[in-house]
Amino acid sequence: MNVDEIVDGILNKNRRALARAITYVENEYPEGKEILKRIYYRTGKAHVVGITGFPGVGKSTTVSKLTQEFRKRGKTVGIVAVDPGSPFTGGALLGDRLRLDGLDVNNPLWLDEGVFFRSMSSRGRAGGIAAKTGDVVRLMDAFGFDVIFVETVGAGQSEVDIIEVADTSIVILMPEMGDDIQINKAGILEIGDIYVVNKADLGGAEKTVKWLKSMIMMDQEAIEILSKTTHADEAAVESGEIFERMKRSKDWVPPVLTTVADRGEGIRELADAIEQHFDYLKRSGKLEERRIRRLSREVFDLIMDEIKMLLSKNDVVNYREIIQKVVRGELDPHTAAEMVVEKLIKL
């Protein structure tokens, strides 16, 4: 299939064309960039939902159950699952595909024409997603999927890059995960639009829910609400009433939900929260704000990639020679950088 056939195929919902386009983009073939240029005008309609959390909390199971729920609601679903890549080969086990395909042997998701699943290797990138995840999401968006789930690696310590591609970010935890300080250090409690305590049938679920709510209340507006609480209302903090009061006083406070994903418990409520958050984003204008910030970062990154490509060619700026001068102590790094920029500006 050539580029014209692939672009036409994507716009006409040809799954084979979509799969071929993703392969081109993942492997950084020139055709991939051309396809992305041509399909861009058909993007921006899908609701991109990021699913992140520590290993073993049930991300893949939750994605599978949510996919089934949204299909019941008549929506088509694209899924991008990122698995850890080998530091030696760049390959990955792609175990998320095994989990998703094997959950319901009587009605496997891969037989559903309204579902498209793609595994990706992180290829050594930190942050929970692969370098080309955003481009793959854009291809699925142009294809016409209503909801696109992006499941992160599950490395745990720095899975915050999901906000670069997702409109709604869901953080999944489970009871008794260990050191609360380590969870705070991971940064994932700063990015969630919705928090989920999965495996809520295990002991300690209620404690984890209370802890999450207390963390969410640690922003400035919550502190103001707490400062106005009378002595007689102090019990309301422990009972969770203050959290409910805060939710009524703000446009959006991340809800804390409980699920037992492998049994489907709490999935309908989670799907409701996802739809409510998307409605809130559109109604408040924050959807446009988020996408402007993401596109600004993306264009900047692409500009930097183009500059790196120019430097690697060595025709315009003799970059290697400049580096050698720095190594020999004839130039300092700051002066070298200024020289390179001046030459690029003159192009």
Side-chain angles (χ1 to χ4, degrees):
M1 298 175 77
N2 60 36
V3 169
D4 290 335
E5 291 172 331
I6 290 174
V7 171
D8 288 342
I10 290 173
L11 301 183
N12 288 289
K13 301 188 183 303
N14 182 318
R15 296 163 69 90
R16 182 166 168 263
L18 175 59
R20 181 67 59 85
I22 292 175
T23 298
Y24 284 157
V25 166
E26 271 196 282
N27 292 287
E28 299 185 344
Y29 295 156
E31 295 91 338
K33 183 186 287 188
E34 185 60 30
I35 292 166
L36 288 168
K37 288 178 180 178
R38 295 199 199 178
I39 58 90
Y40 180 76
Y41 75 98
R42 288 284 291 268
T43 63
K45 296 178 182 177
H47 181 190
V48 184
V49 181
I51 309 284
T52 192
F54 291 85
V57 297
K59 296 189 298 296
S60 296
T61 305
T62 301
V63 169
S64 178
K65 295 297 184 180
L66 281 171
T67 299
Q68 294 170 6
E69 177 63 29
F70 277 108
R71 289 298 291 134
K72 291 176 187 175
R73 301 182 184 200
K75 295 187 176 182
T76 54
V77 180
I79 304 169
V80 181
V82 185
D83 268 349
S86 164
F88 304 105
T89 66
L93 173 62
L94 306 183
D96 288 319
R97 176 171 300 196
L98 298 175
R99 293 193 191 97
L100 283 162
D101 285 353
L103 280 175
D104 188 349
V105 292
N106 297 316
N107 186 27
L109 290 176
W110 52 268
L111 287 180
D112 188 339
E113 287 294 319
V115 177
F116 185 92
F117 183 89
R118 184 73 175 218
S119 296
M120 296 181 70
S121 166
S122 66
R123 303 195 180 190
R125 170 172 165 156
I129 60 175
K132 297 297 179 182
T133 300
D135 289 335
V136 172
V137 166
R138 189 162 287 152
L139 289 170
M140 290 187 177
D141 189 356
F143 189 89
F145 289 107
D146 300 311
V147 179
I148 301 172
F149 289 112
V150 180
E151 180 190 341
T152 67
V153 166
Q157 283 299 315
S158 58
E159 297 221 355
V160 296
D161 282 1
I162 190 63
I163 60 175
E164 293 181 8
V165 298
D167 301 315
T168 299
S169 296
I170 300 174
V171 175
I172 302 181
L173 301 171
M174 60 181 283
E176 304 297 342
M177 289 198 62
D179 190 348
D180 295 347
I181 294 175
Q182 289 299 321
I183 296 174
N184 281 316
K185 280 171 62 179
I188 57 175
L189 290 183
E190 300 173 14
I191 64 169
D193 298 303
I194 299 169
Y195 292 92
V196 176
V197 178
N198 189 35
K199 305 185 182 182
D201 52 339
L202 300 178
E206 186 178 342
K207 176 186 172 185
T208 304
V209 168
K210 285 184 178 180
W211 171 76
L212 272 172
K213 288 181 177 180
S214 67
M215 289 299 101
I216 293 169
M217 287 194 296
M218 289 303 290
D219 65 20
Q220 188 57 46
E221 290 184 52
I223 290 171
E224 290 176 9
I225 292 172
L226 288 170
S227 68
K228 296 174 184 176
T229 304
T230 65
H231 182 72
D233 287 337
E234 286 180 0
V237 177
E238 176 65 23
S239 69
E241 183 185 326
I242 294 297
F243 185 77
E244 299 303 318
R245 192 182 306 178
M246 185 177 72
K247 287 204 297 186
R248 292 192 294 270
S249 70
K250 295 177 67 178
D251 291 336
W252 182 265
V253 173
V256 180
L257 306 176
T258 57
T259 59
V260 183
D262 59 354
R263 298 206 297 255
E265 295 176 12
I267 295 299
R268 181 172 55 81
E269 291 78 6
L270 177 53
D272 289 342
I274 291 170
E275 291 185 331
Q276 289 162 10
H277 184 251
F278 197 45
D279 289 341
Y280 158 72
L281 289 176
K282 290 186 287 188
R283 188 177 65 251
S284 64
K286 293 188 183 297
L287 180 63
E288 185 178 4
E289 289 177 15
R290 289 187 177 198
R291 290 182 173 179
I292 287 172
R293 285 198 299 271
R294 289 208 302 268
L295 287 171
S296 176
R297 286 195 298 267
E298 181 180 352
V299 172
F300 178 81
D301 289 342
L302 290 172
I303 290 170
M304 296 306 296
D305 288 343
E306 293 296 326
I307 291 173
K308 289 174 185 175
M309 193 176 298
L310 276 174
L311 294 177
S312 67
K313 289 179 179 175
N314 227 42
D315 337 353
V316 182
V317 179
N318 196 332
Y319 185 64
R320 294 186 188 90
E321 183 182 326
I322 292 173
I323 292 300
Q324 287 169 0
K325 287 183 178 180
V326 174
V327 172
R328 291 194 299 265
E330 298 170 16
L331 276 178
D332 68 273
H334 291 282
T335 302
E338 289 169 359
M339 287 175 59
V340 170
V341 171
E342 284 175 11
K343 290 187 178 183
L344 290 176
I345 289 174
K346 291 175 183 176
L347 288 178

